Structures are given as structure tokens and as C-alpha cells.
Amino acid sequence: MQFIRSQPQPARVWILPFPAGQVYRGSGDYLMHFGIDQAGGEHPNPLQRWYEYVGAGKESYTDWHNFLEIPAFRHGANIRYIISGVPLEAPELREVHRGSALIYEDTAALPRAYLVPEVRVVGEAAAVEVMRGAEFDPRRTALLAEAPAVAFLGEPLAGSAEVTEYTPDRVVVQTQANRPAMLVLADNYYPGWRATIGGAAVPILRANHTFRGVTVPAGTHNVVFEFVPTSLRTGFAIYVATLLLLAGYAIYAVMHRRRD
């Protein structure tokens, strides 16, 4: 746990099932209590689309078959560390810690926010199957449910995306690009999230089945994601309307007394 907390964040951790009789105290939701973002356990936003992304099981919410069979799913979801009770072998995995468990760094994992040079519109239901294809590379392509307003054509993309602020209801990503690109934030798409660039509202698109995508222009920009749930806006509107009604009634009552 101390090792993971000392590493650059945000980064997700995936804990594999341990062999029978072997106990790891970090299993379940334990790491979440220390601000470590887990792929499983008490996921902060356990939507059905997330379960479909990692591999929805037939007899459980998930059996992780996409993560287990196709590394691109892990890489695109910012799974930086894998904790295991047994040795693992894969070209992209590097053992970085050995203690009560083995910790591997996935050197091919993408950061929490990243730029891609091209997009492909596949609709609501087809993204997972397309991602299971051998030709899909999350570094190059974002699969969208609807077309963006900008066409990503022209010279090769040169740029970067860096998370400069990350809280449960606000994320700030600084982007730099030589041309328009798609910013993918590997957090769940969910109603209530808003995005702005330079104070101007921009649409959030559903990217790679369950993540958030925003078109960013050329140059250096701060993309701000903020969570403002509809229930909060509705409640505030009702509160303001109630105050106005009470104020109107008070004015009416005062004027009525004066007439009397």
C-alpha cells in the first residue's frame, strides 16, 4: 500500500483473485480507504457500462474477461498497477514490489487523461466488440457514440494531456496540441458532468463505451470537468422559487395591512 501511495496519481490498481488459503489485506475495498483508486472493490461509479467494459459475467456483475484476455482494455482504463498472489509474465508487466503480494507496473498503461488523433463513430452498443478486435488501439482511436463537431484531419498529432487537479467532483486537465484532438478522460461518463474550455461550455461525448471525451482545439488549454447533478440544480431552482413566493406573499401581506 505504501509503495502505491508513493507513486504518481491518479492511477488505477487491479487486484487479481488470490489463491485459496492466501490472504491479502488489501483485497475488497481496503485500498480505497487510503485514496487508492481500484478497478474493483467499491468502485466510485459502478455503472453497467463499466462492468461491460471490464467484462460482464454471466453469473456475476463481472468476470473481468476483457481485462484478462485483451490488454488494450486495461491500458485504456489507466490500470497502472496489478496486484497478484502469484508471479505474472507478460511483456508489458514489470515487477516493482514484492512483499505480502507481488505488484506489477503495466508499462503500457495510458494515463488517466490522454489525447488521441482520430475518432470513429460506432453507436451506443458496438464499442465493446470493436475494442475486442486486434486492430483497435486506444492510443490512436477513440470510439464515440456520436460524431464530434470537429473533423480530426491533417498533420500527425503532437501533444500532451496532464491532470493538474483531481477531486471527486472536479477534474482539470491541461492539454497541448498542434491540432484539434480528442481528449479521453478514463472516468465514467455520467449525466451531471459538465466541461468547459476557457470558461466556455463544451460537450462531453461518450468515449470507448464508458469514458468521457472532449474535443480540444490546437494550442494550450485547461479543460475543466465539474459535476453538477440535475437534482442539485432542480433543488436550487425550487429553493429560489420558494423564496420568491414567500417574499411575494410577505409584500402582499404588508400592503394588505396598510390598506386596512
Side-chain angles (χ1 to χ4, degrees):
M1 180 183 68
Q2 294 299 330
F3 170 80
I4 295 175
R5 292 184 69 186
S6 69
Q7 303 306 302
Q9 300 295 330
R12 286 197 175 93
V13 176
W14 183 33
I15 303 176
L16 297 179
F18 274 58
Q22 187 175 352
V23 178
Y24 175 60
R25 69 173 185 172
S27 299
D29 304 332
Y30 182 77
L31 298 183
M32 299 286 290
H33 297 294
F34 298 91
I36 297 174
D37 201 352
Q38 293 180 234
E42 186 184 350
H43 193 275
N45 197 359
L47 302 180
Q48 179 62 30
R49 286 183 177 274
W50 169 257
Y51 292 131
E52 293 168 353
Y53 180 91
V54 304
K58 294 182 179 180
E59 298 181 0
S60 61
Y61 282 118
T62 177
D63 60 17
W64 304 97
H65 62 262
N66 287 333
F67 272 18
L68 290 168
E69 298 169 6
I70 304 171
F73 280 90
R74 300 197 313 267
H75 299 161
N78 183 224
I79 305 298
R80 174 66 62 183
Y81 299 102
I82 299 175
I83 298 177
S84 174
V86 297
L88 302 176
E89 292 187 9
E92 69 273 16
L93 298 184
R94 178 173 67 94
E95 184 181 321
V96 292
H97 182 77
R98 182 179 288 257
S100 59
L102 299 171
I103 301 179
Y104 292 87
E105 179 183 8
D106 191 331
T107 58
L110 286 163
R112 185 62 58 91
Y114 50 93
L115 298 178
V116 296
E118 59 189 47
V119 300
R120 178 181 171 188
V121 180
V122 297
E124 289 283 345
V128 170
E129 286 307 311
V130 174
M131 286 187 285
R132 288 183 61 84
E135 68 280 2
F136 176 72
D137 182 355
R139 293 167 182 78
R140 288 206 51 80
T141 306
L143 304 180
L144 303 180
E146 58 184 285
V150 177
F152 302 136
L153 302 174
E155 60 187 307
L157 174 64
S160 62
E162 179 185 1
V163 176
T164 58
E165 181 180 342
Y166 193 91
T167 66
D169 57 5
R170 178 180 165 90
V171 179
V172 180
V173 182
Q174 185 179 78
T175 63
Q176 188 281 323
N178 63 323
R179 66 166 177 85
M182 177 59 60
L183 168 66
V184 177
L185 177 64
D187 285 341
N188 275 327
Y189 176 98
Y190 192 78
W193 279 99
R194 294 177 171 182
T196 58
I197 298 178
V202 293
I204 300 177
L205 304 176
R206 192 192 304 276
N208 295 346
H209 191 65
T210 191
F211 299 141
R212 299 176 220 157
V214 168
T215 300
V216 295
T220 301
H221 303 277
N222 282 327
V223 184
V224 180
F225 295 86
E226 292 182 298
F227 186 61
V228 185
T230 303
S231 58
L232 180 61
R233 297 198 300 270
T234 302
F236 182 74
I238 294 173
Y239 170 74
V240 171
T242 302
L243 288 180
L244 292 175
L245 286 172
L246 290 174
Y249 177 77
I251 293 172
Y252 170 80
V254 170
M255 297 299 294
H256 186 71
R257 288 197 196 98
R258 287 180 178 176
R259 290 196 188 104
D260 293 343

